[in-house]
């Protein structure tokens, strides 16, 4: 049995069997197979080599036809290398002698070949790039088959990977993947956010789980405490089956809250809305008693499809969401691509510092046709039900004004074309960068509402990458600087009489929600599974009591002191929400 501690990012506790998803661009870990599987591994290697040669042959023919024989020579060289037994023989020998997987043997074989070229005179050193190229091609065949193997599994698979992109996570089929665990990652990465949206328990930042796990072994994922247990013993399995039962009872007790209003004991209403990445999440929000959608992360349209969404794709998604909401508000955030979402995976030259790069509204303002396509779809959808529009990552008044200007432009086009839309749609902004928070009183003159995005506000205020497990201990929304910014934004909103909500992940955490209510927030937008627990909290406190707690929290001078104080208070207010094994921060 091996117990690994990581970061809890998506709740739930499950028991299942490991399925390792390797990445051809990274070192393939050494994994052994049972003696009876050696033949199958040899066959997999042969198939991958043959398929690669076939692919290269086709490429050589196309290139020769289009660009001439000279240009096609490189493929002939690649085919020659792959067909050379001095490359494949050691791979085969390694599988037979060491009983390792085909991908590990191939990876090692290519590494050795690269080393041989590296030791030769300079003129041969360029061949190292060719070896890398070939290695990627062959490994893609070996590992690419993993995705289709994953879809045909007949056991409850728990995916183990070095890291997962939001698009990979989005592609998981809930019937086959019941949880995942990764070596890298942070709590507010979009991979983690998507795991919560899909209701898949997940633990990230486990360090080296990919080298310790092998296909088919038993594993427990504890998405509450951020623990993964490989090959658990009988006593641990029995303990966890008990925990799973206990959680089921707790979840059932939350279901009773759906119908009840979200009002504090002294009669103050705290509106609870849901965050979504796709319209299919709306029923869960309504069932939990959510009053609408406070954040629709529309960029997930790009992450889940194979091509750029058309105006109709956008429109259909929004119209569907509006229909499902039956008159409740839909807050559509315009696409927030970049950083860990989409653009970096697909670009030839990834940015050196993508969180500070061409992301979000900046990207939209440079990709005007794409942006206008989305704005048209949003406005067309506004004819079918109540919506609000929200721009992400606003850092300056110019950006907000440009966004509004473009929206007006699109309104004129639609009016000219005689297409119906709501001319009075509210246009607000995310406050998720310190510059916007500091200038909240200025923005409040122009924005119809604010939505505080703590995921990014924490990252940019504390200079802590939200997806980097190495600094996860420094990523804390309870930092006094973040609390002060939130307090100032709420005050600015109140002075100008515009609504302020919070839609960052921490709004769904009970200790932080307590603080937000105390700071004066009256709308929280959270992931659907957090609506009921937060409602229980709201119904258990008075607004005056929260205000008092917030004042005390604001007098403390460190994130750790504020976190500890709030945790203690929540434990006193709602002891039943804790079973003695709550997530560690
Ligand atoms: C945020 O930054 O808090 C937010 C809600 O936006 P996202 O997580 O999509 O960056
Ligand atoms: Mg954000």
């Amino acid at each position: 049995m091996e117990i690994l501690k990581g970061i809890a990012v998506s709740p739930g506790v499950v028991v299942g069997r490991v399925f390792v998803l390797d990445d051809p661009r990274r070192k393939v870990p050494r994994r052994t197979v049972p003696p009876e599987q050696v033949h199958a591994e040899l066959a997999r290697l042969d198939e991958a080599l043959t398929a690669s040669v076939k692919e290269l042959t086709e490429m050589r023919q196309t290139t020769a036809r289009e660009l001439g024989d000279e240009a096609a020579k490189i493929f002939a060289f690649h085919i020659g290398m792959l067909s050379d037994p001095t490359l494949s023989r050691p791979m085969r020998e390694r599988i037979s002698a060491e009983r390792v997987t085909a991908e590990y043997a191939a990876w090692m074989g290519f590494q050795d070949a690269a080393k041989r070229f590296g030791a030769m005179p300079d003129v041969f050193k360029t061949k190292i790039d060719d070896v890398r190229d070939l290695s990627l091609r062959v490994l893609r065949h070996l590992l690419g088959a993993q995705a289709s193997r994953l879809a045909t599994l007949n056991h409850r698979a728990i995916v183990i990977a070095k890291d997962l992109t939001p698009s990979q996570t989005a592609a998981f089929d809930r019937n086959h993947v019941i949880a995942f665990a990764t070596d890298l990652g942070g709590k507010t990465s979009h991979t983690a956010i998507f795991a919560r949206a899909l209701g898949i328990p997940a633990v990230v930042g486990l360090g080296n789980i990919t080298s310790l796990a092998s296909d088919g072994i038993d594993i427990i994922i504890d998405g509450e405490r951020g623990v993964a247990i490989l090959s658990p013993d009988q006593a641990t399995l029995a303990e966890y089956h008990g925990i799973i039962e206990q959680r089921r009872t707790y979840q059932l007790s939350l279901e009773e809250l759906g119908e009840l209003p979200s009002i504090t004991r002294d009669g103050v209403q705290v509106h609870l809305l849901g965050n979504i990445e796709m319209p299919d999440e709306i029923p869960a929000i309504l069932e939990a008693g959510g009053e609408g959608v406070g954040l629709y992360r529309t960029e997930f349209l790009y992450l889940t499809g194979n091509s750029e969404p058309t105006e109709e794709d956008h429109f259909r998604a929004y119209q569907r969401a509006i229909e499902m909401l039956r008159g409740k508000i839909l807050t559509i955030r315009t696409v927030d691509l970049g950083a860990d979402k989409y653009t970096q995976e697909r670009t030839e030259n990834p940015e050196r510092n993508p969180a500070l790069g061409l992301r979000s509204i900046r990207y939209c303002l440079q990709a005007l046709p794409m942006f206008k396509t989305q704005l048209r779809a949003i406005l067309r959808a506004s004819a079918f039900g109540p919506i609000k529009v929200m721009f992400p990552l606003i850092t300056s008044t110019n950006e907000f004004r440009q966004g509004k200007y473009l929206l007006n432009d699109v309104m004129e086009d639609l009016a000219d074309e005689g297409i119906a839309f709501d001319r009075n749609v509210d246009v607000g902004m995310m406050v998720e960068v310190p510059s916007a928070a500091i200038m909240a009183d200025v923005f409040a003159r122009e924005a119809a509402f604010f939505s505080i995005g703590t995921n990014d506000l924490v990252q940019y205020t504390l200079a802590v990458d939200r997806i980097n497990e190495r600094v996860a201990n420094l990523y804390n929304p309870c930092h006094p600087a973040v609390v002060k910014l939130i307090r100032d934004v709420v005050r600015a909103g109140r002075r100008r009489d515009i609504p302020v909500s919070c839609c960052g992940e921490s709004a769904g955490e009970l200790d932080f929600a307590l603080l937000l209510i105390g700071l004066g927030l009256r709308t929280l937008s959270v992931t659907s599974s957090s609506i009921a627990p937060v409602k229980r909290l709201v119904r258990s406190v008075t607004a005056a009591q929260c205000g008092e707690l917030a004042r005390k929290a604001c007098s403390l001078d460190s994130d750790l002191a504020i976190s500890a104080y709030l945790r203690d208070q929540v434990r006193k207010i709602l002891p039943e929400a804790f079973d003695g094994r709550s997530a560690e921060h």
Side-chain angles (χ1 to χ4, degrees):
M1 180 163 94
E2 188 108 39
I3 303 176
L4 302 168
K5 183 81 189 78
I7 304 165
V9 296
S10 182
V13 180
V14 286
V15 179
R17 300 231 305 270
V18 162
F19 182 93
V20 185
L21 205 59
D22 284 315
D23 180 341
R25 289 162 305 176
R26 299 177 192 269
K27 180 181 186 306
V28 176
R30 184 177 194 279
R31 268 190 278 277
T32 52
V33 295
E36 62 276 15
Q37 206 182 306
V38 167
H39 266 299
E41 293 303 307
L42 288 169
R44 285 182 63 224
L45 176 68
D46 288 343
E47 277 163 28
L49 291 171
T50 311
S52 302
V53 168
K54 184 164 172 270
E55 228 169 57
L56 289 162
T57 309
E58 281 163 11
M59 286 164 84
R60 182 179 59 181
Q61 284 159 356
T62 320
T63 311
R65 212 170 36 245
E66 290 173 4
L67 301 170
D69 286 341
E70 194 55 32
K73 261 191 186 156
I74 182 67
F75 295 109
F77 171 69
H78 281 191
I79 293 166
M81 261 197 88
L82 278 193
S83 317
D84 185 349
T86 56
L87 179 80
S88 57
R89 201 186 309 115
M91 296 178 184
R92 299 178 59 81
E93 282 169 3
R94 184 169 258 126
I95 295 176
S96 304
E98 299 179 26
R99 284 200 285 114
V100 289
T101 57
E103 42 271 38
Y104 177 71
W107 192 81
M108 286 298 287
F110 283 115
Q111 289 290 105
D112 292 343
K115 269 189 218 141
R116 279 196 301 276
F117 281 119
M120 290 181 183
D122 275 357
V123 49
F124 290 105
K125 291 217 167 77
T126 56
K127 300 288 178 234
I128 296 176
D129 290 338
D130 293 302
V131 174
R132 280 214 189 95
D133 216 27
L134 281 175
S135 166
L136 267 180
R137 183 175 301 284
V138 173
L139 284 170
R140 266 200 204 106
H141 279 288
L142 283 164
L143 302 174
Q146 285 182 327
S148 44
R149 268 202 296 144
L150 194 57
T152 56
L153 280 179
N154 54 9
H155 64 75
R156 292 153 58 79
I158 293 180
V159 169
I160 304 295
K162 187 99 190 152
D163 199 6
L164 290 167
T165 62
S167 347
Q168 278 177 309
T169 316
F172 283 155
D173 176 348
R174 283 292 279 115
N175 295 321
H176 296 110
V177 178
I178 57 163
F180 70 78
T182 59
D183 289 347
L184 310 178
K187 189 161 190 148
T188 59
S189 72
H190 288 90
T191 298
I193 287 170
F194 212 64
R196 287 194 283 278
L198 295 172
I200 299 181
V203 180
V204 304
L206 284 157
N208 62 342
I209 190 164
T210 45
S211 32
L212 297 171
S214 44
D215 276 354
I217 65 165
D218 289 338
I219 181 170
I220 296 171
I221 293 292
D222 184 340
E224 317 280 325
R225 284 196 307 166
V227 170
I229 305 176
L230 294 168
S231 309
D233 58 26
Q234 283 308 317
T236 310
L237 275 173
E239 182 198 342
Y240 267 90
H241 283 303
I243 290 166
I244 291 170
E245 202 40 51
Q246 216 174 315
R247 266 187 56 82
R248 201 169 292 149
T249 315
Y250 177 65
Q251 290 300 329
L252 282 174
S253 77
L254 289 176
E255 282 175 19
E256 296 160 7
L257 291 166
E259 305 280 297
L260 301 175
S262 175
I263 295 183
T264 60
R265 283 176 29 225
D266 53 351
V268 173
Q269 184 155 22
V270 178
H271 300 282
L272 297 180
L273 304 168
N275 292 349
I276 61 167
E277 286 68 40
M278 52 201 170
D280 290 342
E281 294 174 75
I282 291 174
I285 289 172
L286 298 181
E287 244 164 64
E291 296 171 53
V293 169
L295 168 65
Y296 179 3
R297 291 184 164 99
T298 57
E299 58 279 4
F300 276 78
L301 279 169
Y302 291 74
L303 303 176
T304 46
N306 291 327
S307 53
E308 190 167 322
T310 61
E311 182 180 324
E312 280 316 298
D313 294 333
H314 280 285
F315 174 70
R316 270 197 302 273
Y318 307 152
Q319 196 191 28
R320 189 148 167 264
I322 288 167
E323 270 168 20
M324 288 169 117
L325 280 164
R326 297 190 297 269
K328 293 193 161 85
I329 193 75
L330 174 68
T331 312
I332 303 181
R333 180 177 73 180
T334 57
V335 289
D336 186 16
L337 290 170
D340 64 333
K341 281 180 279 194
Y342 180 78
T343 49
Q344 296 301 303
E345 289 162 45
R346 307 200 182 192
T347 187
E348 286 241 326
N349 300 310
E351 290 172 293
R352 274 186 294 272
N353 220 337
L356 303 181
L358 190 61
R359 66 166 289 205
S360 203
I361 190 77
R362 304 170 182 179
Y363 181 70
C364 287
L365 292 175
Q366 287 203 12
L368 288 185
M370 178 201 84
F371 193 31
K372 282 186 145 186
T373 298
Q374 179 180 32
L375 296 177
R376 260 181 83 90
I378 294 175
L379 286 170
R380 280 174 56 203
S382 72
F384 294 85
I387 66 153
K388 291 181 179 186
V389 180
M390 172 159 86
F391 296 132
L393 207 84
I394 295 291
T395 57
S396 75
T397 47
N398 292 340
E399 277 166 345
F400 188 67
R401 286 173 196 155
Q402 280 181 62
K404 276 185 83 162
Y405 175 83
L406 285 164
L407 193 72
N408 282 329
D409 224 26
V410 175
M411 282 185 180
E412 295 319 318
D413 291 346
L414 290 176
D416 286 349
E417 293 168 47
I419 297 174
F421 64 93
D422 175 9
R423 195 173 270 283
N424 298 317
V425 63
D426 275 348
V427 185
M429 58 180 264
M430 300 270 309
V431 179
E432 50 182 347
V433 183
S435 62
I438 292 165
M439 288 178 63
D441 52 342
V442 178
F443 282 110
R445 292 184 209 138
E446 303 183 28
F449 63 91
F450 286 153
S451 188
I452 302 173
T454 46
N455 301 340
D456 277 315
L457 189 60
V458 172
Q459 150 162 282
Y460 294 123
T461 306
L462 306 182
V464 178
D465 184 348
R466 64 192 264 190
I467 61 173
N468 183 345
E469 68 290 345
R470 294 185 214 187
V471 287
N473 61 325
L474 302 175
Y475 184 96
N476 189 342
C478 290
H479 192 291
V482 177
V483 176
K484 185 172 184 307
L485 287 177
I486 295 175
R487 193 186 58 190
D488 293 349
V489 174
V490 174
R491 284 180 180 165
R494 201 176 289 149
R495 271 198 300 275
R496 292 275 166 189
D497 201 23
I498 66 163
V500 181
S501 64
C502 180
C503 65
E505 299 306 301
S506 43
E509 285 165 17
L510 298 185
D511 35 13
F512 203 73
L514 190 66
L515 175 67
L516 292 175
I517 299 167
L519 291 172
L521 276 143
R522 294 294 173 258
T523 305
L524 305 180
S525 190
V526 299
T527 188
S528 65
S529 58
S530 296
I531 292 178
V534 175
K535 194 194 278 188
R536 172 169 287 174
L537 175 76
V538 170
R539 293 176 57 82
S540 312
V541 295
T542 64
Q545 173 191 12
C546 294
E548 204 46 54
L549 297 178
R551 264 188 294 283
K552 166 83 178 144
C554 286
S555 73
L556 301 172
D557 64 3
S558 82
D559 52 345
L560 296 180
I562 298 180
S563 297
Y565 173 69
L566 292 173
R567 207 160 42 241
D568 277 356
Q569 297 305 314
V570 176
R571 275 174 192 272
K572 279 188 201 146
I573 296 164
L574 281 181
E576 69 273 26
F578 298 88
D579 57 4
R581 334 169 312 109
S582 70
E584 283 156 34
H585 290 257

